Amino acid sequence: MQLHGRDDDIKLLRRKLRELTKKKDGDDEDAIKSHVGEMILVSGTSGTGKSALIQKGLGDHAASHGYIFASGKLEDKFHRPLSAFSDAMTCLAKYITVEHNKMGKLSLGGPSISTLIRNKIQNEFDEEDVDQLRRVLPGCKELLETRRHSLCYQSSQSDASELLGTRRHSLPSSQAGAAVLIRSGSGSKLGGVKGRVSLTLAGRESIAQMHYAVRRFLKIVCSQLKGAVVLFIDDLQWSDTATLDLLKSIVLDGEIPSLLIVGAYREDEVPDHHPLAFNIRELEQTNVAITKIRIGNLSVDYAIPIVAEALGMDDDDSKVKSLAETIHRKTEGNPFFIVMFLMSLYDEKLLEYNFGAMKWTWDDDAVNSKIVTENVVSVLVNKMGRLQEETQRMLMVASCLGSNFRKSALVEVMKNISQAEMRSSMRKVPSTAATIRSFPESLLSLDLSNSCTEEEYASSIEEFEEEGLCEVDDEECRFMHDEIQSAAFELISPEQRDSFRGRIGSILLRSLSPEELEASLFEVVGLLNCAATNITDEERDELAELNLKAGIKASENAAFDTAKVYFKAGREALGSRGWEGDYSTMLDLCSDGANACFVTGDIDTMNELIDEVLSKDIDTKEKYRVSEIKVKSLLIAGKANESINAALDFRRQLGLPAPQKKAASKFTIIREYIRVKKLLKDKTAEDIANLPELDDELYEMGQRMNEHLATSVYRVEPTMLPLVIFSMVTTSLKHGLSPSSTVAFAALALLLCGRFGKPHEGREMAKAAELILERPGMRRSTSNTIFVTHTFCYHWTSPLQDNIAPLLKGYQAGLEFGDNAFACWCLLGRCYRLFFIGRSLYSIQKELEATIPVLAQLKQDDSKLNIVPLLMTVKKLRGIDAEAGDKILDSLLATAAHNGDFLLSSYVNLMKLEVFVLFQEWEEALELVRKAGNIRQLSPSTATSVRYTFLEALTYLKAAQSSSGWKKRQIKKCAHKTMRLIQGWAKNGNVNVVHYLYILEAELAVLHRKKKKAKESFNAAIATSSRNGFLHDRALAHELASAYFKAQRDEYWGNYHVECSRACYQEWGCSKKVEQLNVQLNVTRC
């Protein structure tokens, strides 16, 4: 049947697709990336034809126009996380591995597209990433079958794992074995061994890690395909939070070529407070281009051709028009209702085919008098009441299996459910419900046995299809519309629905193999939970373990909202009995449930679960998980002091040493440092990295608590930080290495380079941290470690330019492991280093303008705020929005002062000082230095503090040159003090400060009127900055030299140096400074 009344909408859909295809066919990479932030949303009420519109506009158009259309549909009766997205990706993978390979072989017998994709995944993904993708996207297993995996994973599992039509595949044998444990009711813990510390990601990090892995996978797939890819997700009003967050992450990604996300939802079921509505608003606020198509009911002009086409008659026929007008009036033009109304006329013999006249006939008065309910479900229930008795029973069961189901699953349930159960579950129609006809008496008085044959089941399924209720494709079946499934569900008595679904779940639990149960776990558990009130204690234990397994599986898919539902159902199944006897299941349900609540922001429930576990008389180690959640949640809530107390208390309960919560004295810090130094002895980085692995749970827990402690004490009691770091290092050296050890040795390197002034020893510890990362299972803190080593350590002994690439690697590692915070801090550090090394201002501005949206997308407000001062400064130096930039910097400084944000104030003051020095505004620079305080103490051991120290010393020297008397002596004293710091750094091998020192020595010689020394130092400063690539500092050295020579009335060298300075500033892209120097040289600007 044609789609009437939607021509403009179809044209819009196809136009959007053509635009996307042109971008992929074009050569302009920027044009390809301009597609970032586009999606199409189609809304309307039920039955208006949203899915049909998208199928007609895009799906039917795909094969003939060289693109791929893949779809998935959400359901409201099952908590199956990421189900629609997973189904759409399964559809895409099937096309690639089957259809596309038929016609998509590369020329000259080259490898197939699927082979190219597998090879790319082999090269770019590690096995941990691939395993995660297999869990989230089980239908893509053929594309994810890497060579490494094929050695250990048997891909010959039966397709029977798709018994319920969920398109899910079984997991590796180790996980399938867990399903056996569930079915045996043994009470064994699922997902791990009782009491063991889990080092896998289990929070917001796991969500970010999963999103990044899926986006990388999509990038590989889309880049290998010739045409565009359309992913259609239907019924978004029923979406789980995990699906919405993943779709948002994909839409915001800037590197997935030619992918179009299309969604459909019922607008009347998405109020303003609905999660989908929140996500749409958030996308719009981030400048995502959302094409919204709203479709409503059809006008009578479009109802006429629908009726005419259905009857095979001319739409100009007056009787057809009259019938269509009557139907339109009764259905209000809802397309689905129009079709269902016509079918009901036929079923009730109000519409009949006259073989003599060879056309359809009807009685207008009878049609006009037909009562129409407001609910199309009632019409469908009436229709179903006229079907074969066995067909009605099968529809009841099918409605509980989902919108998509398999014939084998349906038949399996029918074989195991008695007719007595069917009879008791049938809906008894109240006398007032005239619109729903009662079932035949014969249906309610059948024999209790179930004696149907395979042929009778097949006959009923054929009737599904003949009546237009279901579409049957071999083994796969699907309801033609959600309303049909709802009507079939209405056949079940409201009082018996829960028990009926529970019975179906029980049959499936009994009949499915372990692999099939694993694949259909969410559906089976969802059905069983419906009847959780009237079961035995043994069944409750089994149901609790099933819910625990489902919750863990949902958590592994980063669907914590869904996981929370299963964990709660498991706790309710056990009730007060949960803590009696073998309490391991209840402990896991509470611990994992608390984590799911923490991630989803349900703090009240989280605290209740934490308190419940902590109040029990159980082993302290079994309280670790909730204790860690408590520590993290307090820190995130801004209660750093309480977080510290909780972490210290837990370490004491474990019997591990814990420092007092108070400011640490210098004596205590030195004493602990000496102890660590004795343990280190003459160990090299390689010696440390080759230490044995930590295998003691107690110390492993203690190390994790120390990690959280380090973050907390840094905020409120920084003098305690060295003690925490020394504790972590000591444990690593005495008891073995763990992922926490990378953080420990990186932090030790920070202390050695900063507080203790031993950069070479610090470099060795930084190297040790990075070598530990290379060991199996130690990569969790990769981004954190790279950030610390390359922000605080390596710049003391290596060229600053060498930090640029590793910090980008740290960003990528952070995305890979879900550590978005440190990923973004790596980006921040990289951008500031680009400025410090004198990269062109234009390229820095482009970099910043690309970086800030990334920080916003990843919701890292701290790093986003701290990068703004750099952007404002770069734009001002280029002559762009200088006045507005100054206002923003002043506002940021006020915000930093109000919030006590020393890091933000450090960046703002540094950038303001850069401008003052650059434009020779020495009085303003001196005032800023006096107000800013000791930035070296606020931001120790960083390249930022080094740069600030240089500018501070230069400011003092220039101020001293224009001062006299007591004031001059005081300023000279400050200058000498800061210069001694830089001299010490240079002496210890800091190659990045050598030209700083020459500039300062030149200005000091000017102050002391040592002409020869001044000339030599200026020349050395210019030569060194030029040789090391510091273009902006070379420009500054030339300008300062020019000022000196002009003061000596040496116009030749004065003009020479100012010309050189202008050329350097011009090459750097500092337009504002070039204008200033042009005025000095009386050069007319071109």
Side-chain angles (χ1 to χ4, degrees):
M1 180 175 278
Q2 294 183 25
L3 202 61
H4 298 279
R6 309 298 188 203
D7 291 348
D8 291 343
D9 297 326
I10 290 173
K11 289 177 182 177
L12 177 58
L13 288 172
R14 292 180 178 174
R15 177 167 60 83
K16 284 291 179 183
L17 190 60
R18 283 195 302 272
E19 292 172 0
L20 178 65
T21 304
K22 285 180 181 178
K23 289 172 184 175
K24 180 151 191 172
D25 292 340
D27 296 325
D28 186 355
E29 186 176 346
D30 291 335
I32 293 173
K33 290 191 175 184
S34 68
H35 171 63
V36 175
E38 287 187 37
M39 70 182 306
I40 298 175
L41 291 175
V42 179
S43 63
T45 57
S46 176
T48 50
K50 302 177 293 296
S51 306
L53 169 65
I54 295 168
Q55 181 64 42
K56 182 73 173 179
L58 298 174
D60 295 347
H61 200 59
S64 59
H65 287 76
Y67 64 90
I68 303 175
F69 179 85
S71 64
K73 177 178 169 57
L74 290 150
E75 297 191 48
D76 65 336
K77 290 184 173 63
F78 293 117
H79 292 287
R80 187 159 72 93
L82 301 173
S83 59
F85 181 80
S86 177
D87 289 346
M89 292 298 294
T90 300
C91 181
L92 175 61
K94 182 178 179 181
Y95 178 87
I96 293 170
T97 55
V98 181
E99 301 298 330
H100 201 282
N101 283 339
K102 285 182 184 176
M103 57 184 181
K105 291 271 187 180
L106 295 183
S107 60
L108 302 177
S112 65
I113 298 296
S114 57
T115 301
L116 291 173
I117 291 172
R118 280 193 288 268
N119 289 343
K120 289 277 286 183
I121 291 170
Q122 170 79 21
N123 293 332
E124 297 185 19
F125 282 72
D126 61 27
E127 194 60 26
E128 184 179 343
D129 295 328
V130 174
D131 285 340
Q132 184 180 46
L133 285 173
R134 290 192 196 103
R135 290 194 300 268
V136 176
L137 307 174
C140 297
K141 67 175 185 179
E142 288 190 45
L143 294 180
L144 298 168
E145 194 74 33
T146 63
R147 290 189 296 275
R148 288 167 299 185
H149 183 250
S150 63
L151 296 176
C152 61
Y153 181 80
Q154 300 301 317
S155 60
S156 60
Q157 297 174 12
S158 171
D159 286 339
S161 62
E162 296 185 355
L163 187 62
L164 289 179
T166 56
R167 298 183 176 89
R168 289 183 171 269
H169 297 259
S170 57
L171 295 174
S173 56
S174 61
Q175 295 176 340
V180 178
L181 292 176
I182 298 171
R183 298 181 73 242
S184 69
S186 65
S188 299
K189 178 179 175 180
L190 305 172
V193 180
K194 178 179 177 181
R196 189 182 187 281
V197 183
S198 173
L199 293 181
T200 57
L201 294 174
R204 291 178 178 87
E205 296 88 351
S206 63
I207 297 174
Q209 183 178 4
M210 183 271 285
H211 288 178
Y212 184 58
V214 170
R215 296 199 312 268
R216 288 168 64 203
F217 177 55
L218 275 171
K219 179 184 176 183
I220 290 173
V221 170
C222 293
S223 63
Q224 294 298 321
L225 296 171
K226 292 183 179 179
V229 175
V230 178
L231 291 184
F232 168 41
I233 309 299
D234 200 4
D235 285 321
L236 282 170
Q237 74 276 359
W238 294 326
S239 180
D240 54 300
T241 303
T243 297
L244 293 176
D245 289 344
L246 177 57
L247 291 176
K248 181 170 63 177
S249 174
I250 292 169
V251 170
L252 289 171
D253 192 283
E255 298 183 357
I256 304 176
S258 302
L259 174 68
L260 180 62
I261 300 293
V262 182
Y265 65 94
R266 298 180 183 178
E267 61 183 6
D268 54 328
E269 296 183 27
V270 180
D272 287 343
H273 61 273
H274 192 282
L276 175 60
F278 280 119
N279 275 269
I280 292 173
R281 289 194 293 269
E282 188 173 344
L283 286 171
E284 289 175 330
Q285 290 168 4
T286 53
N287 298 319
V288 171
I290 301 179
T291 300
K292 295 182 178 180
I293 300 176
R294 184 191 176 278
I295 61 174
N297 290 339
L298 298 173
S299 67
V300 69
D301 292 336
Y302 292 113
I304 294 172
I306 292 178
V307 174
E309 184 181 354
L311 300 179
M313 299 176 69
D314 193 341
D315 56 9
D316 289 333
D317 190 312
S318 60
K319 285 186 65 63
V320 171
K321 287 184 177 180
S322 175
L323 177 62
E325 288 169 356
T326 300
I327 293 175
H328 182 272
R329 185 170 62 253
K330 291 180 176 292
T331 62
E332 298 183 350
N334 184 286
F336 179 69
F337 207 170
I338 289 174
V339 175
M340 290 300 103
F341 188 88
L342 274 170
M343 293 178 70
S344 70
L345 291 177
Y346 172 73
D347 292 338
E348 296 174 23
K349 302 191 182 307
L350 298 177
L351 179 65
E352 296 182 301
Y353 191 75
N354 187 325
F355 285 94
M358 298 295 286
K359 65 179 182 179
W360 290 94
T361 60
W362 60 89
D363 184 330
D364 284 331
D365 291 336
V367 172
N368 198 41
S369 63
K370 177 176 168 58
I371 298 174
V372 181
T373 66
E374 295 180 358
N375 187 354
V376 71
V377 171
S378 301
V379 176
L380 289 166
V381 171
N382 245 345
K383 175 180 178 61
M384 292 174 185
R386 289 185 286 271
L387 301 176
Q388 296 180 54
E389 297 158 0
E390 190 64 23
T391 302
Q392 293 180 51
R393 297 192 196 99
M394 293 188 78
L395 280 170
M396 290 168 57
V397 173
S399 71
C400 298
L401 297 179
S403 60
N404 293 276
F405 57 94
R406 292 178 68 86
K407 286 191 287 187
S408 54
L410 177 59
V411 171
E412 185 68 30
V413 174
M414 292 300 297
K415 287 179 178 178
N416 287 278
I417 193 166
S418 70
Q419 293 183 13
E421 290 174 293
M422 280 290 190
R423 183 179 64 179
S424 65
S425 301
M426 286 256 176
R427 178 169 182 158
K428 310 299 188 296
V429 184
S431 60
T432 56
T435 58
I436 303 179
R437 60 177 286 163
S438 58
F439 300 106
E441 186 64 28
S442 60
L443 192 61
L444 304 178
S445 58
L446 291 170
D447 189 274
L448 299 185
S449 62
N450 195 334
S451 58
C452 290
T453 64
E454 294 286 347
E455 290 75 15
E456 288 174 311
Y457 291 136
S459 174
S460 294
I461 292 173
E462 285 178 12
E463 192 173 10
F464 288 179
E465 191 168 24
E466 290 171 359
E467 294 294 331
L469 301 176
C470 291
E471 181 181 53
V472 180
D473 180 14
D474 192 22
E475 179 69 4
E476 295 283 346
C477 306
R478 73 175 184 89
F479 284 103
M480 293 297 291
H481 197 278
D482 295 325
E483 297 290 4
I484 296 174
Q485 183 186 1
S486 298
F489 191 69
E490 286 292 323
L491 296 175
I492 308 169
S493 169
E495 296 80 13
Q496 298 298 319
R497 285 174 188 166
D498 286 343
S499 60
F500 187 70
R501 285 188 284 179
R503 178 72 178 118
I504 293 173
S506 179
I507 292 170
L508 293 172
L509 179 64
R510 231 178 21 248
S511 60
L512 294 179
S513 69
E515 293 79 10
E516 293 164 353
L517 177 61
E518 180 66 35
S520 306
L521 184 65
F522 296 121
E523 292 81 358
V524 173
V525 176
L527 290 167
L528 290 170
N529 283 339
C530 294
T533 53
N534 297 314
I535 55 178
T536 66
D537 285 350
E538 184 179 353
E539 290 170 330
R540 287 180 179 278
D541 293 342
E542 186 177 21
L543 181 59
E545 289 207 27
L546 282 164
N547 274 285
L548 175 61
K549 176 64 176 176
I552 291 172
K553 187 173 181 178
S555 297
E556 289 175 345
N557 289 351
F560 291 96
D561 268 319
T562 302
K564 190 168 64 171
V565 173
Y566 289 115
F567 292 136
K568 180 181 179 183
R571 295 194 302 273
E572 290 175 347
L574 289 177
S576 58
R577 300 170 44 257
W579 291 104
E580 300 172 4
D582 183 6
Y583 56 81
S584 61
T585 300
M586 191 65 168
L587 174 64
D588 290 336
L589 287 166
C590 289
S591 300
D592 290 330
N595 184 62
C597 291
F598 169 57
V599 176
T600 58
D602 186 358
I603 303 303
D604 291 338
T605 305
M606 177 200 74
N607 286 328
E608 290 175 7
L609 293 172
I610 290 173
D611 292 342
E612 182 175 351
V613 175
L614 294 180
S615 67
K616 300 302 176 182
D617 185 18
I618 58 179
D619 192 293
T620 300
K621 289 189 289 187
E622 294 179 315
K623 299 179 181 181
Y624 166 75
R625 284 183 290 169
V626 294
S627 297
E628 184 181 31
I629 294 165
K630 181 177 181 179
V631 169
K632 292 195 295 185
S633 64
L634 288 169
L635 182 60
I636 288 177
K639 301 176 180 179
N641 284 303
E642 293 180 42
S643 177
I644 293 170
N645 288 332
L648 291 174
D649 287 345
F650 187 75
R651 280 185 60 86
R652 294 186 187 106
Q653 290 173 33
L654 289 173
L656 298 175
Q660 293 295 315
K661 184 181 172 294
K662 63 179 183 180
S665 65
K666 289 184 179 180
F667 172 77
T668 302
I669 293 171
I670 295 298
R671 182 192 65 203
E672 296 303 316
Y673 167 61
I674 292 172
R675 290 176 177 173
V676 168
K677 196 167 183 178
K678 287 181 179 179
L679 287 173
L680 284 168
K681 294 181 181 176
D682 297 323
K683 287 185 174 67
T684 64
E686 289 76 11
D687 294 334
I688 294 170
N690 288 323
L691 288 171
E693 189 171 339
L694 177 62
D695 61 358
D696 189 320
E697 272 187 353
L698 186 143
Y699 288 105
E700 196 169 2
M701 293 174 182
Q703 289 286 69
R704 292 295 295 271
M705 281 297 171
N706 268 336
E707 277 194 71
H708 300 308
L709 264 176
T711 304
S712 301
V713 300
Y714 178 72
R715 295 188 181 185
V716 295
E717 193 54 75
T719 60
M720 288 181 64
L721 181 60
L723 303 184
V724 176
I725 294 170
F726 295 150
S727 173
M728 295 176 71
V729 171
T730 299
T731 300
S732 298
L733 293 172
K734 284 185 174 182
H735 303 283
L737 301 177
S738 70
S740 300
S741 300
T742 62
V743 178
F745 284 100
L748 178 61
L750 184 158
L751 290 177
L752 291 170
C753 290
R755 180 185 288 268
F756 295 102
K758 298 179 181 295
H760 294 284
E761 292 181 23
R763 181 183 180 88
E764 192 69 10
M765 294 301 101
K767 183 181 176 183
E770 295 187 346
L771 287 174
I772 295 170
L773 285 175
E774 296 176 6
R775 292 180 55 160
M778 299 289 182
R779 297 179 61 204
R780 170 173 56 83
S781 299
T782 299
S783 186
N784 183 346
T785 301
I786 290 176
F787 172 74
V788 172
T789 56
H790 288 275
T791 299
F792 299 97
C793 305
Y794 284 128
H795 70 91
W796 292 105
T797 55
S798 301
L800 203 56
Q801 290 88 338
D802 291 352
N803 295 160
I804 305 300
L807 285 170
L808 185 59
K809 179 182 175 183
Y811 161 71
Q812 293 165 339
L815 294 183
E816 181 180 349
F817 289 97
D819 193 352
N820 286 349
F822 276 106
C824 292
W825 284 117
C826 285
L827 274 187
L828 175 82
R830 180 176 183 273
C831 288
Y832 273 98
R833 274 157 181 71
L834 291 174
F835 183 84
F836 295 157
I837 67 175
R839 187 73 60 84
S840 80
L841 293 176
Y842 172 78
S843 66
I844 295 174
Q845 183 176 337
K846 296 292 285 185
E847 185 92 15
L848 290 168
E849 289 172 345
T851 298
I852 288 176
V854 172
L855 304 181
Q857 176 190 339
L858 297 175
K859 298 184 178 179
Q860 299 300 316
D861 293 336
D862 281 350
S863 49
K864 178 185 172 184
L865 198 62
N866 282 286
I867 210 170
V868 171
L870 179 57
L871 177 61
M872 294 301 102
T873 301
V874 168
K875 292 177 74 172
K876 180 174 182 176
L877 296 179
R878 297 190 65 226
I880 303 171
D881 298 331
E883 188 174 337
D886 288 339
K887 290 180 180 179
I888 291 174
L889 288 179
D890 290 339
S891 173
L892 289 174
L893 202 57
T895 301
H898 180 266
N899 296 335
D901 190 340
F902 67 84
L903 187 60
L904 178 59
S905 65
S906 298
Y907 281 125
V908 174
N909 282 321
L910 172 63
M911 289 295 101
K912 288 172 75 73
L913 186 57
E914 287 275 7
V915 172
F916 290 147
V917 169
L918 200 69
F919 289 99
Q920 313 284 292
E921 296 171 355
W922 301 113
E923 290 184 7
E924 292 84 350
L926 183 62
E927 183 181 359
L928 184 148
V929 166
R930 286 172 171 169
K931 288 182 177 180
N934 189 350
I935 285 182
R936 283 180 298 281
Q937 187 175 4
L938 298 175
S939 185
S941 194
T942 63
T944 302
S945 64
V946 172
R947 180 72 181 178
Y948 183 87
T949 301
F950 161 63
L951 297 175
E952 179 187 20
L954 182 59
T955 298
Y956 284 137
L957 288 171
K958 297 300 289 187
Q961 290 171 14
S962 59
S963 303
S964 61
W966 175 83
K967 183 179 180 182
K968 183 174 184 176
R969 289 193 296 273
Q970 287 296 106
I971 295 175
K972 279 178 63 178
K973 185 177 179 181
C974 294
H976 282 296
K977 183 178 179 181
T978 50
M979 275 190 69
R980 280 196 294 272
L981 289 173
I982 297 176
Q983 287 168 343
W985 298 337
K987 186 177 180 180
N988 277 326
N990 191 333
V991 296
N992 302 298
V993 301
V994 174
H995 67 289
Y996 291 170
L997 191 57
Y998 282 134
I999 291 173
L1000 296 175
E1001 288 178 346
E1003 290 298 334
L1004 184 63
V1006 171
L1007 179 63
H1008 293 155
R1009 298 179 181 178
K1010 297 180 179 179
K1011 297 180 181 180
K1012 183 179 179 181
K1013 177 66 173 175
K1015 290 179 183 179
E1016 289 175 351
S1017 296
F1018 276 128
N1019 288 334
I1022 292 167
T1024 306
S1025 56
S1026 176
R1027 183 170 58 251
N1028 292 340
F1030 295 99
L1031 179 62
H1032 59 324
D1033 290 335
R1034 177 185 169 195
L1036 176 62
H1038 274 299
E1039 186 179 9
L1040 294 173
S1042 171
Y1044 167 71
F1045 282 111
K1046 286 189 176 183
Q1048 298 297 314
R1049 301 183 185 278
D1050 189 337
E1051 292 296 325
Y1052 174 80
W1053 286 110
N1055 288 333
Y1056 167 79
H1057 282 292
V1058 78
E1059 285 280 6
C1060 290
S1061 177
R1062 184 170 70 95
C1064 291
Y1065 280 127
Q1066 193 158 13
E1067 183 180 349
W1068 189 39
C1070 188
S1071 306
K1072 203 71 176 174
K1073 185 64 183 179
V1074 172
E1075 288 178 9
Q1076 185 189 62
L1077 295 178
N1078 282 340
V1079 172
Q1080 290 183 26
L1081 291 167
N1082 296 317
V1083 175
T1084 304
R1085 187 176 178 186
C1086 296

